[in-house]
Amino acid sequence: MSHPSTASRLSAAELCARLIRFDTSNYGDGRSAGEHDIASWIHSALKHAGYAAQIVGPEPARASVVLRVPGEDRTLPALLVHAHTDVVPVEPSQWSVPAFAGHIADGYVWGRGATDMKDMVASVLRTLLNWAENDIRPQRDIVVAFVADEESGGEHGATWLVRNMPEFFTGVEVAIGESGGDATELVSNDGTPLRVYPIATGERGTLQLRIHARGTGGHGSRPQADQALTRVIDTCQRINAYRWPLRLTDTVREYIATIDHALGNEPRLDTDAGIAASIRRLGPAGEVAEAITRCTATTTVLNAGVKVNVIPASAEAQLDVRCLPGTEDEVVATLVHLIGDDVEWEFLSRCSPVTAPYPSHWFDAMRAAILTQDPAAITPPVWLGGGTDAKAFSELGIACYGFAPLTTDRAGRHPGGAHGADERNPVEAIDGGQRVLEQFLTHV
């Protein structure tokens, strides 16, 4: 592992590769690897550059790095930029390259975290090092948080910071973080290439719940009428099969309409059929829209039984529910109806949807930064289908945007493999995204 002092000589893509070499797998249930090691490396690189960063966290193993960079005008509201250092675990047998080697080959940075989200960690770090090397101060205070534990809910990372170090975020009005600002390439009806950089102005709420049941156990050859596992499975099936109604928020409506117009179509978003037709025409951008036009509920964990010939006396399942803004109470009522009285249930976590102002001068500044690198960029607002650390920081009244920019790759390479095998990110996209990020953070 290279010494942190060498960081000043590395590009954002090269920094990303270095950071991937820290195995920071987050296994959930309080178990993780490498978060302290990567925090120490980042802290040393910042200290070498002259920054007064701090390593903080609930325990040494769950370390985050925080710092505040003073701006030229300290009367302006401060801005928070956050990025998480942990990653989801890997199945090595599924990979064609070592997941934590941090290879750069074939125009890509390869490895776990290349897209989620050591690329953003690297871009923020490269920006800070550029400022130090060139004696640059941003317009306003920039608060930076490289946080642990995002992949398992943030209890040891962002949530811990919010609950235990709220004073560190004094004066922060707006935050930027995971997802948004990355390029999607499309082709219009007349063959014109289009590059769409959605900027996230919110994300769906996350309602995670557990259902559980007890019944009569016994020998597998003698089925019981009151089987816990059967009741849990039946309940999950009712929820999985439910078709949640289509709901189009103003942001999602603009996202779909903006891209569909750019493709050369006339979107008709006043009917479900018209919305579906537009989404189909959007290609890869339509996959994003599909995830943010409905609430969803998915069974993700099922636990029961110890042996094939034993009927379990208890069973449980866990479900991941995502709700659109303005629908949370309705979604909970629907779940109560679908679950019924055959099982017990409880929330594992309940995080409401997050929204940030749009239109706003913050959004305009993000758009302007993208245009410096790609003058033909299309920059609609969008909602995120999943969840990020924005939910924690929003508890402090901070308006949270998703803006972790990546530009296009001239050779047609695209990011891939997030949360899967062979995760990779084009070198050109990471380095271009860093330039966008630095432009925004310096001048906003």
Side-chain angles (χ1 to χ4, degrees):
M1 183 62 63
S2 62
H3 191 273
S5 63
T6 65
S8 63
R9 300 193 296 270
L10 303 179
S11 69
E14 291 168 334
L15 279 171
C16 181
R18 287 288 192 274
L19 296 170
I20 287 169
R21 294 171 195 167
F22 293 95
D23 178 353
T24 54
S25 298
N26 190 334
Y27 301 99
D29 297 324
R31 299 183 303 116
S32 69
E35 289 171 333
H36 180 269
D37 293 339
I38 197 171
S40 296
W41 196 91
I42 292 170
H43 179 266
S44 294
L46 292 170
K47 183 178 179 180
H48 187 266
Y51 289 104
Q54 304 174 59
I55 296 179
V56 298
E59 57 185 271
R62 310 309 302 267
S64 298
V65 180
V66 296
L67 69 151
R68 180 181 286 255
V69 182
E72 294 282 359
D73 185 351
R74 307 205 69 185
T75 67
L76 293 173
L79 181 141
L80 166 67
V81 53
H82 58 95
H84 66 84
T85 58
D86 64 321
V87 298
V88 297
V90 302
E91 296 182 58
S93 64
Q94 303 298 311
W95 287 65
S96 65
V97 298
F100 296 105
H103 285 314
I104 297 180
D106 303 321
Y108 288 101
V109 176
W110 295 81
R112 175 60 86 225
T115 66
D116 187 11
M117 65 175 305
K118 289 179 179 176
D119 56 334
M120 179 63 165
V121 175
S123 290
V124 176
L125 181 56
R126 181 67 264 164
T127 297
L128 293 170
L129 296 176
N130 286 348
W131 285 350
E133 291 165 14
N134 297 289
D135 196 25
I136 293 172
R137 290 180 65 182
Q139 288 292 104
R140 65 186 69 243
D141 280 15
I142 303 295
V143 175
V144 180
F146 300 106
V147 296
D149 198 35
E150 190 275 343
E151 296 290 1
S152 189
E155 287 295 319
H156 300 89
T159 299
W160 184 90
L161 286 171
V162 166
R163 292 174 181 171
N164 294 275
M165 297 183 64
E167 68 282 356
F168 184 75
F169 305 98
T170 299
V172 173
E173 181 176 290
V174 163
I176 61 168
E178 189 169 5
S179 296
D182 51 326
T184 298
E185 296 180 272
L186 303 173
V187 179
S188 70
N189 295 341
D190 64 7
T192 303
L194 301 176
R195 294 174 300 282
V196 181
Y197 297 75
I199 298 169
T201 62
E203 59 189 48
R204 293 193 299 178
T206 302
L207 313 177
Q208 295 173 335
L209 55 98
R210 174 168 52 215
I211 61 175
H212 45 98
R214 292 191 174 276
T216 303
H219 200 285
S221 65
R222 298 178 181 179
Q224 305 291 329
D226 181 31
Q227 289 192 34
L229 181 55
T230 299
R231 286 187 282 130
V232 168
I233 290 174
D234 288 348
T235 303
C236 290
Q237 178 57 26
R238 286 196 300 274
I239 297 172
N240 292 342
Y242 181 73
R243 180 66 169 169
W244 296 88
L246 188 147
R247 298 286 176 82
L248 211 58
T249 65
D250 290 343
T251 295
V252 178
R253 181 181 298 275
E254 182 169 347
Y255 172 80
I256 295 171
T258 298
I259 301 173
D260 207 12
H261 272 303
L263 291 171
N265 302 309
E266 287 297 327
R268 301 185 180 279
L269 305 181
D270 52 348
T271 67
D272 288 5
I275 294 168
S278 281
I279 290 175
R280 285 195 298 271
R281 292 194 292 262
L282 301 191
E287 296 174 11
V288 175
E290 189 70 43
I292 51 178
T293 53
R294 298 179 190 274
C295 303
T296 57
T298 308
T299 303
T300 54
V301 176
L302 185 63
N303 291 318
V306 294
K307 197 170 184 293
V308 69
N309 63 345
V310 178
I311 296 172
S314 64
E316 74 164 40
Q318 297 179 22
L319 296 95
D320 188 357
V321 182
R322 306 298 173 115
C323 64
L324 293 167
T327 68
E328 184 174 347
D329 291 341
E330 177 186 338
V331 166
V332 172
T334 300
L335 289 170
V336 169
H337 172 73
L338 292 171
I339 291 170
D341 299 325
D342 286 343
V343 298
E344 298 178 339
W345 71 280
E346 62 190 353
F347 282 114
L348 296 171
S349 66
R350 182 172 180 174
C351 298
S352 298
V354 171
T355 61
Y358 175 79
S360 72
H361 72 279
W362 302 102
F363 188 98
D364 292 343
M366 291 178 233
R367 171 183 285 150
I370 292 171
L371 293 175
T372 65
Q373 299 300 311
D374 189 345
I378 299 167
T379 56
V382 73
W383 270 70
L384 300 182
T388 74
D389 281 330
K391 288 184 171 62
F393 294 118
S394 67
E395 293 179 10
L396 297 175
I398 298 172
C400 296
Y401 293 88
F403 187 65
L406 293 169
T407 56
T408 56
D409 175 89
R410 285 169 292 182
R413 303 178 187 92
H414 300 96
H419 284 220
D422 287 348
E423 188 173 351
R424 61 204 177 275
N425 209 339
V427 168
E428 188 175 342
I430 296 172
D431 288 337
Q434 186 276 323
R435 292 190 293 271
V436 172
L437 182 69
E438 184 169 346
Q439 174 73 20
F440 171 73
L441 292 177
T442 304
H443 299 290
V444 65

